[in-house]
Amino acid sequence: YANDKAAGYARLGGYFPACAGYMWSQPRADKTAPAAVADLAAKPVDGGVELTWTAPGDDGGSGTAAVYQIKHDDLPIVEQADGGKQCNFWAAENVADEPKPAAAGTRQSCLIKGLKPGTHYFALKARDELNNESELSNVASAEVK
């Protein structure tokens, strides 16, 4: 399973973390994942991009999720890339200092700086306290100058 180009291969869809199967096979008391963010928006601002969205909740659309994971890439982000011009969510670059999730229905934002010029695509997932993971959000894009 070793590949000397694993990072590039992962980005385009061919990588499956071995630990993922173990995580999915374990029984959990809380089986309800946070809802997926459906209104992620990206707006260029001086020196970066501002993301905005509505907080999804912990169990579906209620409560407060535990953590966000926000990613960006210069290719459109998808759950599982097909080897074309897409990037796997897990292979995209992490955004540093994601905000803490707020209660479901709250508007949230995040300012991302230090991006190189060009089009950037953004997506996020929410997780609850037992690591149940939301579906991938909609993908937003912005042009950085």
Side-chain angles (χ1 to χ4, degrees):
Y1 297 95
N3 185 322
D4 62 342
K5 297 180 182 174
Y9 190 58
R11 193 165 176 253
L12 300 176
Y15 176 73
F16 182 81
C19 63
Y22 171 79
M23 288 174 21
W24 293 331
S25 70
Q26 300 306 304
R28 298 174 185 213
D30 175 4
K31 295 182 180 180
T32 305
V37 169
D39 63 348
L40 182 66
K43 178 176 79 172
V45 294
D46 188 35
V49 172
E50 180 182 32
L51 299 179
T52 57
W53 67 93
T54 303
D58 174 352
D59 292 328
S62 64
T64 304
V67 67
Y68 290 128
Q69 183 150 28
I70 303 173
K71 301 270 196 163
H72 73 92
D73 200 86
D74 59 353
L75 293 174
I77 299 170
V78 295
E79 187 68 50
Q80 179 66 45
D82 61 8
K85 296 189 176 206
Q86 302 170 323
C87 179
N88 280 338
F89 178 78
W90 292 111
E93 189 171 337
N94 287 316
V95 168
D97 301 322
E98 295 105 334
K100 289 187 61 123
T106 303
R107 291 295 295 164
Q108 291 198 263
S109 66
C110 176
L111 182 61
I112 303 165
K113 293 192 173 204
L115 299 171
K116 64 183 179 191
T119 301
H120 293 265
Y121 297 88
F122 302 89
L124 73 81
K125 288 188 176 195
R127 287 194 305 259
D128 67 14
E129 70 285 354
L130 290 177
N131 213 27
N132 291 312
E133 179 180 279
S134 73
E135 297 289 324
L136 185 66
S137 71
N138 64 298
V139 177
S141 65
E143 183 75 25
V144 176
K145 299 195 187 272

